């Protein structure tokens, strides 16, 4: 069976790799232009490493009420929704905690810098908590308790993937897949035949590292709508005094989550919901299995030893990851 | 009883009923006006809270970010929440949205890779 032609483009964004697939190759340039504009706007709004971003301005506001753009307000709203849906396990006020473990610059720069000084004891136990963020969408105002630091990394990338996919599908009437560092959103009519026995839909290789090749250990599935996201403690790690740390913060401790899962992949109605669930699953550790099952979210969870568990209709895995 | 007395008593009764009726109508009208004023005064709070948390049904949970009544800043947002998370509230309106269909099994390497970044 021969795969139908699909327009493909890859580029760097947010310190990671973006991939754009369009079912009509002739519309790839239009799709890329839409994606570029949206991603630039999101970066300008919520980059923690840009002093001129709205996020940096809010983090430095000292508790004052800050007028924000509607885009930034939407991003904050998405982060607060994720926090509410996970009872605070996916918390946007982990900016200070990330800085305390050395994640205070772009990840590529962080990796190049090598080992950091030893971890100091956390100033406070846990992060300030998402309830210290006040949002008034109607007036475009945000207030952050003095001392709290917002980080939208957990949701902004997935939210941007959803946004790009829906805008491109609406503008081109073509099926589209947007992957931002492995956070995948699809919209529009899916390909009728992905080839290689995929049937209709987009073929996705689920693995630990989004930058790995298509033959990396893992599983291939097809999705036709919504989103698929993967969270892992094996990627975006760095050394602090000989100890490997990662970027998924447990809000209760303010330190990288200790989990029985090394990688969790979830499909949901949107990429941001999938990312919310996969991130929460890492933090919830063993309890995540029952939670994902009860929430009817098809998921693939990989234990530290490579053993795979699945929930809620995720297709059976051929073997260890 | 004299006829004049009966007429006087009837007139007094009618006058009393009229006064009570008039008072009742005025009290009712005042109540309506007060209700309208209260609705106008506080209606925007409901709209603000709903808009600040997305279209998630406006449950009592949805008012938290806008009202910010826990702004003390220690760790209200996270403490003790990790264990009470069975997700029972995550279904239905306002919960994590389940996919229209689960992923299907497939062969080959996939067109893209989903992994952590």
């Amino acid at each position: 069976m021969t795969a139908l032609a699909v327009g493909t483009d890859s580029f760097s964004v947010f310190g990671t790799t973006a991939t754009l697939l369009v079912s009509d190759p002739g519309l790839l340039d239009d799709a890329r232009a839409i994606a570029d504009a949206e991603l630039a706007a999101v970066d300008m709004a919520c980059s923690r490493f840009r002093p001129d971003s709205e996020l940096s301005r809010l983090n430095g506001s000292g508790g004052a009420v800050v007028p924000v753009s509607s885009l930034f307000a939407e991003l904050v709203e998405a982060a607060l929704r994720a926090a509410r849906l996970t009872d605070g396990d996916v918390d946007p006020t982990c900016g200070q905690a990330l800085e305390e473990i050395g994640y205070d610059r772009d990840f590529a720069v962080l990796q190049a810098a090598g080992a950091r000084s030893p971890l100091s004891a956390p100033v406070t136990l846990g992060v300030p908590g998402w309830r210290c963020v006040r949002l008034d969408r109607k007036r475009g105002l945000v207030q952050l308790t003095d001392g709290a630091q917002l980080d939208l990394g957990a949701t902004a990338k997935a939210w941007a993937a959803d946004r790009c996919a829906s805008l491109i599908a609406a503008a081109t009437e073509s099926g589209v897949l947007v992957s931002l560092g492995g956070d995948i959103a699809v919209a529009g009519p899916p390909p009728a035949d992905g080839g290689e026995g995929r049937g209709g839909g987009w073929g996705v290789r689920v693995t630990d590292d989004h930058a790995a090749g298509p033959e990396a250990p893992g599983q291939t599935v097809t999705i036709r709508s919504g989103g698929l996201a993967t969270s892992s403690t094996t990627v975006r790690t760095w050394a602090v005094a000989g100890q490997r740390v990662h970027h998924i913060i447990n809000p209760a401790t303010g330190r990288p989550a200790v989990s029985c899962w090394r990688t969790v992949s979830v499909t949901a109605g949107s990429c941001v919901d999938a990312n919310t669930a996969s991130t929460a699953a890492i933090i919830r550790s063993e309890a995540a299995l029952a939670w994902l099952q009860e929430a009817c979210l098809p998921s693939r969870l990989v234990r530290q030893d490579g053993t795979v568990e699945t929930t809620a209709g995720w297709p059976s895995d051929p073997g260890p990851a | 009883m004299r006829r004049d007395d009966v007429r006087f008593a009837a007139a007094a009764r009618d006058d009393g009923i009229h006064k009570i009726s008039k008072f009742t109508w005025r009290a009712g009208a005042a109540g309506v006006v007060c209700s309208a004023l209260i609705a106008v005064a506080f209606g925007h709070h409901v709209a603000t809270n709903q808009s600040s948390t997305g279209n998630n049904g406006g449950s009592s949970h949805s008012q938290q970010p806008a009202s910010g009544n826990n702004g003390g800043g220690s760790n209200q947002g996270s403490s003790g929440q990790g264990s009470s998370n069975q997700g029972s509230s995550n279904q239905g309106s306002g919960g994590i949205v389940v996919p229209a269909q689960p992923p299907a099994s497939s062969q080959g390497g996939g067109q893209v890779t989903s992994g952590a970044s």
Side-chain angles (χ1 to χ4, degrees), chain A residues 10 17 42 55 78 92 96 102 107 183 214 255 260 278 311 318:
Chain A
S10 291
T17 306
V42 170
L55 180 73
Q96 183 62 36
F107 188 68
D183 286 349
R255 286 287 184 250
C260 66
S278 64
T311 68

Side-chain angles (χ1 to χ4, degrees), chain A residues 45-292:
Chain A
C46 68
S47 171
R48 195 160 53 91
F49 310 118
R50 291 183 65 145
D52 57 344
S53 72
E54 290 189 81
L55 180 73
S56 295
R57 194 157 51 90
L58 178 64
N59 282 341
S61 65
V65 176
V66 177
V68 297
S69 66
S70 60
L71 174 64
F72 186 75
E74 281 190 66
L75 287 159
V76 172
E77 184 176 59
L80 294 178
R81 178 173 176 271
R84 181 172 57 80
L85 294 179
T86 59
D87 294 331
D89 282 338
V90 180
D91 193 303
T93 61
C94 58
Q96 183 62 36
L98 285 167
E99 289 197 5
E100 284 180 10
I101 60 172
Y103 194 3
D104 56 0
R105 64 201 74 183
D106 186 85
F107 188 68
V109 178
L110 177 63
Q111 279 189 310
R116 309 296 303 276
S117 55
L119 281 174
S120 57
V123 177
T124 55
L125 182 65
V127 302
W130 60 281
R131 289 189 178 90
C132 74
V133 185
R134 296 165 65 104
L135 167 67
D136 188 334
R137 278 288 306 274
K138 199 173 181 180
R139 296 183 179 86
L141 301 172
V142 181
Q143 185 177 25
L144 183 62
T145 299
D146 190 17
Q149 297 283 300
L150 214 56
D151 177 85
L152 301 180
T155 51
K157 187 154 52 77
W159 184 93
D162 283 328
R163 172 89 149 201
C164 289
S166 63
L167 287 174
I168 291 168
T172 65
E173 299 182 349
S174 171
V176 59
L177 179 150
V178 177
S179 170
L180 300 180
D183 286 349
I184 294 171
V186 300
D193 186 353
E196 298 180 335
R198 289 189 190 102
W202 302 98
V204 180
R205 184 71 172 173
V206 177
T207 184
D208 287 335
D209 185 352
H210 87 283
E215 301 305 325
Q219 183 183 8
T220 303
V221 297
T222 56
I223 58 172
R224 297 174 59 84
S225 63
L228 192 162
T230 298
S231 296
S232 177
T233 61
T234 63
V235 182
R236 204 167 286 243
T237 66
W238 62 99
V240 180
Q243 178 187 352
R244 298 303 296 180
V245 296
H246 62 81
H247 67 296
I248 300 177
I249 295 293
N250 183 342
T253 64
R255 286 287 184 250
V258 177
S259 181
C260 66
W261 314 112
R262 77 176 192 221
T263 301
V264 178
S265 303
V266 179
T267 57
S270 66
C271 185
V272 73
D273 275 13
N275 181 277
T276 297
S278 64
T279 304
I282 292 284
I283 293 165
R284 293 180 178 196
S285 196
E286 194 67 50
L289 203 56
W291 175 64
L292 291 167

